[in-house]
Amino acid sequence: MASPVLGRVVATENRPNTPHEFHFWTALDSPVGIGTVVRVDGRDSANGVIPRVFGIVTEGFSWTDLASPLHDVMGHDGQPGGQTLSPTERAEIRLYTAAVLRHIPEEPLQPVPMGTVFLADEADVAIALRMDGYLKEGSRTGIPVGVYRAGGTDAPIYLDADFLIGPEAAHLNITGVSGLATKTSAVEWLLQSIFTHFPEQKGSVAAVCFNVKGPDLCFLDLPGEIDDNDRMLYAQCGVSPTPFADVQYYAPYKSDGVALNTLRSNEALLENVTPLTWGLREVLQYAEVLLNKDDIDAKADALIDFIKENVLDKRFSDSMLERPHTVTSFADLDAWFKDVLRALEKKDDQSWRTHHVATIRKVRNRLSNISLRCKGLVADDGATSDLPFGSFQDRTVYVIDVAGLEEDAQDLIFARVVTKLREHLEKRDLGVQHVVVFVDELNKYAPSDGPDTYVRKMLLDIAERGRYLGLVLFAAQQFRSQVHRRVVGNSGTALYGRMDGDELATPGYAVLSPAIKTKLATLEKGQLMVRHPHFTQPVFVRFPRPAVMRGRDGVSKYPAAQAPTLHSAVLRTLRQFDPGLTLGWLQDVTQLATDDEILRARNDIVRTRPTDVRKVFSAHFRAAVAPRTAARPDAPAPLPSAPSDDPYGF
Amino acid sequence: MLLRLEGRVHSSEAGDVAVNIRLLQRRLATLLPEARTAGAENTLELGFQSNDAPRLISATVLEGGTLVAREVRGTPEPGFRAFLDGTQRSRVATYVGTSPVVHGTVAAVVRERRARRMETWGTPLVQSRLYVPRAMMQSSTWSVLRAEFGPLLVDTTDGEADVTSHPLALRDAAIHRVQAHREAVEQRLAEQWCTTESDALFVDGGISGSEQVAQSAHAVGVVKSHRTLYAEGDALGVVLSLNVGERSSVFRITSSKRTTVASWYLRLRDSAGHDPMWGLVRAEMALPGAEGMPRIGELADERCRWLLAEVSPLALPDARWDKMVYGVRDCEEFLRAIQ
C-alpha cells in the first residue's frame, strides 16, 4: 500500500532549497519530529529519472498569520483564558528543514526539487543512510546499533563493521552526561551486537574493558532485568537478550596482598576472576608511565636504561660490590641499590659508572616508591599473573577491574595492557584478530590540555594507527570537547547520549542545528544520536538495556566478601587449580612460614599453574617436623638389692 | 490537499495563458506588435475610487415602529459553519494606442470550519478575463483578440451610452466589470451552498444580488462598507451611536434590481476613540414570510449572537479588522495563496 503523503517541499527566495538542505510543510497532526527520515519524490525528471531525495529533519518552525503578538492580546482583551471562546483557530503552519542524506540519482547533484514528502519506511532508511551497500546478502557487514523509530517506522540501524572495527575506519567515541547518557550500557549493548553480528569471514574479535568506577562492568556474565520493549529491540536487531557467554575478570590484590581489589569478590563469582600481579620486569618497561618529567631527566633515564639492560634478570657483578646480584624483583633491586650506594660511601666517591650518586639515590627512591604506590599490583617477589596474551578467545570479554586502585596503578595497568595488546596484534599472535578496548573517563586519560602523559600518547597512537592492527578504541567521556582532538577526530563512529547544555555550546557542536541540540539536551535514557562515516547526517536510535546484571544489582545480590584471613584467601586462590585442597592441609603446610612466604608461594602457583599444586606449593616451605610422642625407654635393669647382712645397705 | 486544489484551479476556464499576466503580455506582444506593454504597475483596485456618492436612504422598519437600539439577547455563540468571500485583481496588460487592455482575475471560495480549523469547501473558483474597450479598437485588432481569447474577451464599452477615450475612465469601466464578475462567482458559490447545505453561511457582502441566496435561511450577508446608510434623521443617530453588542431594529431593503432582504446594524466592537462607523456592520438575511415576521427580532438576535462570536480571533493585520471576521480574512488569504 502506498504510504500517505506527509508534506510538500517548499522553497522561497529567502529560504531556498539547496543540494544539502530543503524545506517542507506538513499537516498539523503529522508524526514528523526532529530526527525523522523523510523521502521526497520529485515532480519532474532529470535525465529521464524522477529524482528521489532522502533527508532527515533537523529543524522545525511553526507560526500563524498573526502579524504581531499584540494582536492576539488585543483579540482576547488581555485574558489568555479567552482563547477557548474563539470559534476558529488561526491558520498555522508546520514547516520543517531537513538535511539531505542522499540523492538518487547521485548525479547531477542539484537543489532538492519541489515534490511530495513521505515518511521513510524501513527500506528507505536503509537507502538514505547508505546501509544498502553493506547489508547485501553474502557481503553483509552490518552491526546493529539500535532502532530508528519515527512516525510508526521501526528500522534497525546498522554500522559498517569495516568502519567500526576496521580497517577502513575504526574506533567509537561516546559522550554524554553522567547517569543519563547511559554510556556504559550503550557500549555493553554494542559489544553484544558486535559479538553476534561481526562477520565470520572478518575473523575473531574480543573485548578488553577497563572497569574504572564502582561495579559497572563486574557482572557482565549474569542476566539482568529487561522488559518487553527491550526484547522487541533485541529481536529487531537480531541479538539474543542474554548476558555475555564468556567473560574473564582480572583484578589486582588489595594492598594487604590477600584479598582481590574488586567488588566482584563474592565467593560464588570467583570462578572466572584471576589476580593481576606484575613483577619488576613488567613494571620497569613502563616506568615512564609512573615517573613524571620532573623525575625522569636525561641522567635518570640513562640509569634506568642501564638497569634494564645490564641488571634486570641477569647476574650482575662488579668488583666494587660486595656480592653478585640477580635482580628479578623489587626486593632484589633494592638490595642492589643498597650495595651500590654502600660501595660509593665506602670509597667516598660521587659517581659510579658515570652515574652520579644523587641520580642513583633519586632513581632508587622513585622505583622503590612504585611498589608502594602500586601495592597489590606489583609484587616484590617478581611474581606475575597476567592476561592471557597469546591465547585470547574469540567473542570473549576481558574485564580488568581497576576501580579500587590509585591513579598511578590505573595508568600503569592501562598502559601496559594496551601496549601488550598492540605488540601481540602486530605480531598476529594475540589469539584473536581484533580487540575492542573500552576506556571510560577519557577526559582523564586523554584530555585536550594538561601534561603530555604516556597514557595520552598511547591513546593517540591507538586512535591513529590501531585500525590497521585490529586494535579498536571504544572510549567514553562526559565532555567530548575536552578530549584531545586527534583522539575524537579519529573515531569513525560517534555516539551522543543526553548532553549538557554548556557542552553543546562549545564550537565542536556548531554544525548541529538548535533543534538537534535541544533534542540532545533532552534525550531519554536508551536513546542515542549516531554519527557514522556512511551517514551524511546524524541519526537518532533507541537501543535496549544490556541483558546483563547492572552493577548495583550485582553488588546487592552478590555482596563483596568480607576481608578474608590470609589462609582462606590463599586457599581460595589455590582451589582454582586444585579444588580438593583443604584449610587444614594449608595450615599444616604453612605452619612455620611467614605471611610473605605464603603469599610468594601462592603467587608462584598462580604464575606457573602446576599440575600438582600440593607438591609445588609445599616445596616453598621448610618441612615441619611432625610431632611425635617420645618413646618410653626400656626400664633399666633393677639394681640388685643389698644383701640383708650388709650393714651399710638400706 | 493543495495539489488537488492546484489541479482544479489551473484547469479553470481561464486557461494557463490568461491566468499568468506575464504569459499574457508575451502573447499580446506577439499578437499586437503595435501595442505597448504596460510596466509593473500596481493592481488597479489600489487606486480605484468608487464613483458612488455617500447617501442616506430611509428604510421600512420591520421590528416596532421606529428604528431603535436593541441589546442583543443571549451570549455570543458560534453559528456559522462556513465563510464566503471573493477577491479581484486587475492590471493593465498592454496599451493599444491609448486604450488599456486590462487583465482581471476574480476568485471566490467557501471556507468551512471543522473542529475550529478552516478548510476549503467544494471547489474554489478562479477566473480571468481580458477587458478591452472595443469601441476604441480597430476592428482588425478586436478580431485578432477575439480569435485568440474567445469568450474570455470582455468589451468594456458594450452597452455604454457615453463612451470616452480617457484612459482612466476606460480603466474604471474595466474595474466595474471585474467587480461584477467577482460578485457573480461569489453568488455562484453561495447558491451552491444554499442548495446543498443546511447550515449557516457567512457571506462577505450583501446577499440581495442572488434571489436564491437572498431567500435562503442559510445565508447571512455582512456588509462592511457604509457609503449607503439605511437611516435618516434620528435613526441615523441611533445607528451611529450603537454600543458594542447592540443592534438596530430590523428594517427592509428593497431595490428594483435586487431581492428584498431584512437588514439591521450591529456594533461588533467598542467605537470609543474611533469614528462612529468603527466596528459597525450591516447584516442581511432572508425576509421571513408572514408567519415568521413576528419572530424577526429573535432571528436577528440569533444572527447577532453568531456574529459577535466571530470577533475573536482578530482579522489583523487587515486594515478592516474592526468589521472583518477572521473567517473572511482566511478566505482572502486562501485566495491570495492559490492565485
Side-chain angles (χ1 to χ4, degrees):
Chain A
M1 192 177 73
S3 54
V5 174
L6 181 75
R8 290 178 55 79
V9 176
V10 287
T12 62
E13 191 170 354
N14 289 335
R15 207 189 287 267
N17 291 336
T18 66
H20 63 269
E21 185 181 86
F22 63 96
H23 314 281
F24 66 96
W25 66 269
T26 69
L28 297 182
D29 60 350
S30 82
V32 172
I34 301 303
T36 302
V37 178
V38 295
R39 186 190 79 228
V40 176
D41 288 356
R43 281 196 312 229
D44 307 311
S45 64
N47 289 343
V49 181
I50 294 289
R52 274 192 163 185
V53 178
F54 298 90
I56 186 166
V57 176
T58 57
E59 192 57 276
F61 306 91
S62 166
W63 67 84
T64 68
D65 56 1
L66 264 182
S68 159
L70 190 60
H71 296 168
D72 204 45
V73 176
M74 291 163 61
H76 295 96
D77 286 337
Q79 302 298 318
Q83 185 183 0
T84 53
L85 300 175
S86 293
T88 311
E89 295 284 0
R90 285 189 173 278
E92 187 178 344
I93 184 173
R94 292 275 194 280
L95 182 72
Y96 294 94
T97 299
V100 171
L101 291 166
R102 191 174 187 182
H103 288 262
I104 291 181
E106 309 258 5
E107 294 292 342
L109 185 60
Q110 295 182 338
V112 176
M114 300 306 109
T116 315
V117 181
F118 299 88
L119 264 180
D121 59 20
E122 188 174 342
D124 289 332
V125 171
I127 296 168
L129 298 176
R130 292 178 162 77
M131 297 190 300
D132 52 337
Y134 53 91
L135 293 179
K136 290 176 191 161
E137 284 306 321
S139 59
R140 194 180 172 94
T141 55
I143 306 285
V145 68
V147 172
Y148 158 85
R149 274 188 185 163
T153 300
D154 275 24
I157 301 298
Y158 296 86
L159 306 177
D160 186 353
D162 283 345
F163 288 76
L164 179 65
I165 306 295
E168 303 298 343
H171 314 308
L172 175 138
N173 185 273
I174 179 167
T175 194
V177 296
S178 288
L180 293 169
T182 55
K183 301 188 286 289
T184 306
S185 297
V187 170
E188 289 171 359
W189 145 250
L190 192 55
L191 285 176
Q192 284 179 311
S193 183
I194 291 170
F195 283 7
T196 305
H197 288 277
F198 190 67
E200 290 290 333
Q201 70 272 16
K202 295 193 72 65
S204 49
V205 60
V208 173
C209 301
F210 292 91
N211 183 53
V212 296
K213 56 188 180 198
D216 274 3
L217 302 173
C218 287
F219 306 98
L220 298 182
D221 52 346
L222 299 171
E225 283 184 18
I226 57 172
D227 58 23
D228 289 343
N229 187 38
D230 294 320
R231 285 188 194 89
M232 194 164 71
L233 291 169
Y234 272 102
Q236 287 173 316
C237 293
V239 177
S240 173
T242 52
F244 290 96
D246 297 304
V247 186
Q248 294 295 322
Y249 287 90
Y250 295 84
Y253 288 107
K254 290 181 178 174
S255 56
D256 60 5
V258 174
L260 287 174
N261 196 348
T262 176
L263 288 170
R264 188 186 167 99
S265 58
N266 189 286
E267 192 83 37
L269 304 179
L270 287 176
E271 189 183 350
N272 55 353
V273 183
T274 305
L276 188 68
T277 55
W278 293 336
L280 177 62
R281 184 209 321 266
E282 289 75 26
V283 174
L284 214 55
Q285 283 177 321
Y286 303 95
E288 195 183 336
V289 177
L290 300 172
L291 304 175
N292 61 37
K293 283 197 183 301
D294 294 335
D295 293 329
I296 302 292
D297 53 19
K299 290 179 276 188
D301 206 24
L303 178 56
I304 291 172
D305 278 347
F306 175 82
I307 294 169
K308 278 197 272 192
E309 288 176 16
N310 301 303
V311 179
L312 193 62
D313 291 335
K314 292 186 174 73
R315 182 177 172 79
F316 182 83
S317 56
D318 187 291
S319 59
M320 206 177 77
L321 301 184
E322 283 185 350
R323 62 179 176 85
H325 290 265
T326 303
V327 175
T328 59
S329 68
F330 276 95
D332 296 337
L333 182 66
D334 196 51
W336 179 82
F337 270 119
K338 279 181 182 170
D339 202 357
V340 171
L341 290 169
R342 193 183 302 119
L344 283 171
E345 283 174 10
K346 194 184 285 183
K347 282 180 62 181
D348 197 19
D349 204 346
Q350 292 298 304
S351 64
W352 174 76
R353 296 197 180 195
T354 73
H355 302 292
H356 193 270
V357 66
T359 303
I360 296 171
R361 286 187 187 282
K362 176 179 169 181
V363 171
R364 179 203 174 193
N365 176 281
R366 299 293 188 274
L367 291 181
S368 302
N369 208 13
I370 288 175
S371 65
L372 294 175
R373 283 151 66 192
C374 303
K375 201 166 177 62
L377 170 67
V378 176
D380 266 341
D381 58 0
T384 298
S385 170
D386 215 344
L387 271 74
F389 297 111
S391 57
F392 266 49
Q393 298 296 311
D394 190 19
R395 267 77 172 174
T396 300
V397 183
Y398 299 88
V399 179
I400 304 170
D401 193 350
V402 296
L405 298 187
E406 295 293 325
E407 199 170 318
D408 286 341
Q410 287 186 351
D411 289 355
L412 178 62
I413 290 176
F414 183 68
R416 182 171 181 277
V417 168
V418 173
T419 306
K420 292 287 285 183
L421 289 173
R422 191 182 62 189
E423 288 171 1
H424 283 278
L425 282 169
E426 279 174 350
K427 291 187 281 186
R428 299 286 172 207
D429 66 353
L430 182 62
V432 293
Q433 285 147 308
H434 305 86
V435 177
V436 174
V437 176
F438 173 45
V439 185
D440 202 351
E441 305 298 341
L442 208 60
N443 282 131
K444 179 175 139 190
Y445 295 114
S448 54
D449 50 11
D452 191 18
T453 63
Y454 185 90
V455 172
R456 189 171 79 169
K457 280 192 282 189
M458 193 191 56
L459 284 168
L460 277 170
D461 186 58
I462 298 175
E464 289 169 346
R465 297 199 312 123
R467 67 189 172 106
Y468 302 109
L469 305 173
L471 185 55
V472 183
L473 182 66
F474 280 18
Q477 72 284 319
Q478 196 167 349
F479 305 112
R480 183 182 164 95
S481 64
Q482 293 172 26
V483 174
H484 199 288
R485 288 181 63 183
R486 279 156 56 200
V487 174
V488 292
N490 278 291
S491 290
T493 304
L495 307 180
Y496 303 77
R498 171 83 74 91
M499 301 286 291
D500 180 75
D502 290 345
E503 172 71 2
L504 286 168
T506 57
Y509 302 90
V511 293
L512 302 178
S513 72
I516 296 280
K517 288 182 186 176
T518 302
K519 180 154 181 167
L520 276 176
T522 56
L523 270 188
E524 293 173 22
K525 281 186 172 183
Q527 274 192 297
L528 293 170
M529 188 179 84
V530 183
R531 298 178 82 166
H532 188 61
H534 288 296
F535 308 163
T536 51
Q537 295 292 331
V539 59
F540 289 91
V541 301
R542 290 176 185 275
F543 69 94
R545 278 180 291 185
V548 301
M549 190 173 284
R550 289 182 303 174
R552 59 173 178 271
D553 293 342
V555 168
S556 169
K557 192 168 182 182
Y558 298 98
Q562 298 291 321
T565 63
L566 174 65
H567 282 96
S568 60
V570 170
L571 180 66
R572 199 160 61 196
T573 305
L574 298 183
R575 273 182 173 168
Q576 293 175 31
F577 310 105
D578 183 351
L581 301 181
T582 63
L583 185 62
W585 168 82
L586 182 69
Q587 287 171 331
D588 281 351
V589 171
T590 59
Q591 210 168 29
L592 301 177
T594 64
D595 288 357
D596 283 345
E597 288 172 330
I598 296 171
L599 292 174
R600 195 173 297 126
R602 177 202 62 184
N603 292 345
D604 184 54
I605 295 298
V606 170
R607 184 176 67 249
T608 58
R609 297 172 180 261
T611 50
D612 190 345
V613 175
R614 281 174 189 266
K615 185 178 174 187
V616 176
F617 187 78
S618 302
H620 283 78
F621 305 102
R622 294 181 295 276
V625 179
R628 285 181 297 170
T629 306
R632 178 180 289 272
D634 295 337
L639 292 172
S641 57
S644 58
D645 58 346
D646 184 350
Y648 299 98
F650 42 131
Chain B
M1 174 62 85
L2 192 57
L3 186 65
R4 191 158 52 83
L5 279 179
E6 256 188 10
R8 294 196 307 229
V9 169
H10 288 172
S11 62
S12 67
E13 57 190 274
D16 283 341
V17 172
V19 164
N20 188 314
I21 181 89
R22 297 285 173 217
L23 289 175
L24 173 67
Q25 286 177 327
R26 278 186 220 136
R27 189 71 190 132
L28 287 173
T30 307
L31 293 171
L32 308 171
E34 74 281 10
R36 184 164 48 86
T37 302
E41 297 171 3
N42 287 328
T43 57
L44 301 181
E45 283 76 9
L46 283 177
F48 176 68
Q49 294 291 323
S50 172
N51 293 330
D52 297 340
R55 56 185 175 148
L56 298 173
I57 296 177
S58 178
T60 306
V61 177
L62 299 174
E63 189 183 18
T66 55
L67 192 138
V68 295
R70 294 169 184 272
E71 187 175 350
V72 176
R73 284 165 290 184
T75 53
E77 56 183 359
F80 294 109
R81 199 183 111 198
F83 301 80
L84 184 153
D85 193 17
T87 59
Q88 65 181 70
R89 191 161 53 185
S90 315
R91 287 182 61 183
V92 177
T94 191
Y95 288 92
V96 178
T98 58
S99 303
V101 174
V102 174
H103 172 251
T105 302
V106 299
V109 65
V110 173
R111 297 276 286 169
E112 182 184 2
R113 182 159 54 201
R114 288 186 197 156
R116 303 180 71 209
R117 296 276 180 196
M118 304 303 287
E119 297 178 16
T120 303
W121 176 87
T123 306
L125 298 175
V126 182
Q127 295 178 358
S128 292
R129 298 282 186 275
L130 203 60
Y131 299 89
V132 180
R134 184 179 182 180
M136 304 296 149
M137 300 279 150
Q138 293 178 356
S139 59
S140 59
T141 304
W142 177 261
S143 298
V144 168
L145 292 174
R146 183 77 189 171
E148 178 71 18
F149 298 105
L152 301 185
L153 196 64
V154 178
D155 178 8
T156 58
T157 55
D158 182 27
E160 295 287 335
D162 187 17
V163 178
T164 170
S165 60
H166 194 302
L168 292 182
L170 293 172
R171 278 169 39 166
D172 286 354
I175 293 173
H176 281 297
R177 278 164 175 76
V178 175
Q179 203 166 345
H181 188 198
R182 175 177 59 79
E183 286 173 4
V185 295
E186 286 177 354
Q187 283 167 11
R188 223 169 98 188
L189 278 182
E191 286 166 0
Q192 283 178 16
W193 177 274
C194 293
T195 305
T196 58
E197 301 290 347
S198 55
D199 291 317
L201 173 70
F202 183 115
V203 178
D204 187 53
I207 58 173
S208 59
S210 161
E211 184 178 0
Q212 185 183 357
V213 178
Q215 293 179 349
S216 170
H218 309 310
V220 177
V222 179
V223 180
K224 304 188 292 289
S225 165
H226 300 300
R227 292 189 73 79
T228 301
L229 279 167
Y230 294 90
E232 284 183 312
D234 292 344
L236 180 61
V238 169
V239 169
L240 297 185
S241 59
L242 285 173
N243 290 319
V244 64
E246 285 184 346
R247 66 170 175 87
S248 69
S249 304
V250 181
F251 50 88
R252 180 168 50 208
I253 296 179
T254 308
S255 165
S256 57
K257 294 180 183 173
R258 292 175 176 261
T259 307
T260 301
V261 293
S263 183
W264 66 92
Y265 286 97
L266 170 68
R267 182 76 71 183
L268 292 175
R269 302 182 193 281
D270 189 356
S271 64
H274 300 278
D275 72 77
M277 283 181 243
W278 203 82
L280 186 70
V281 295
R282 183 172 61 79
E284 289 182 358
M285 68 174 180
L287 195 63
E291 69 284 1
M293 201 55 82
R295 289 182 55 244
I296 196 164
E298 287 176 33
L299 292 173
D301 274 343
E302 183 186 48
R303 271 61 173 175
C304 286
R305 288 196 294 275
W306 297 350
L307 290 170
L308 288 168
E310 301 297 335
V311 298
S312 178
L314 300 185
L316 279 166
D318 195 291
R320 303 160 295 168
W321 69 274
D322 58 312
K323 302 179 185 73
M324 182 190 273
V325 301
Y326 183 79
V328 171
R329 171 174 158 73
D330 181 79
C331 291
E332 292 191 358
E333 290 296 306
F334 175 84
L335 294 173
R336 187 174 294 126
I338 65 169
Q339 286 183 68

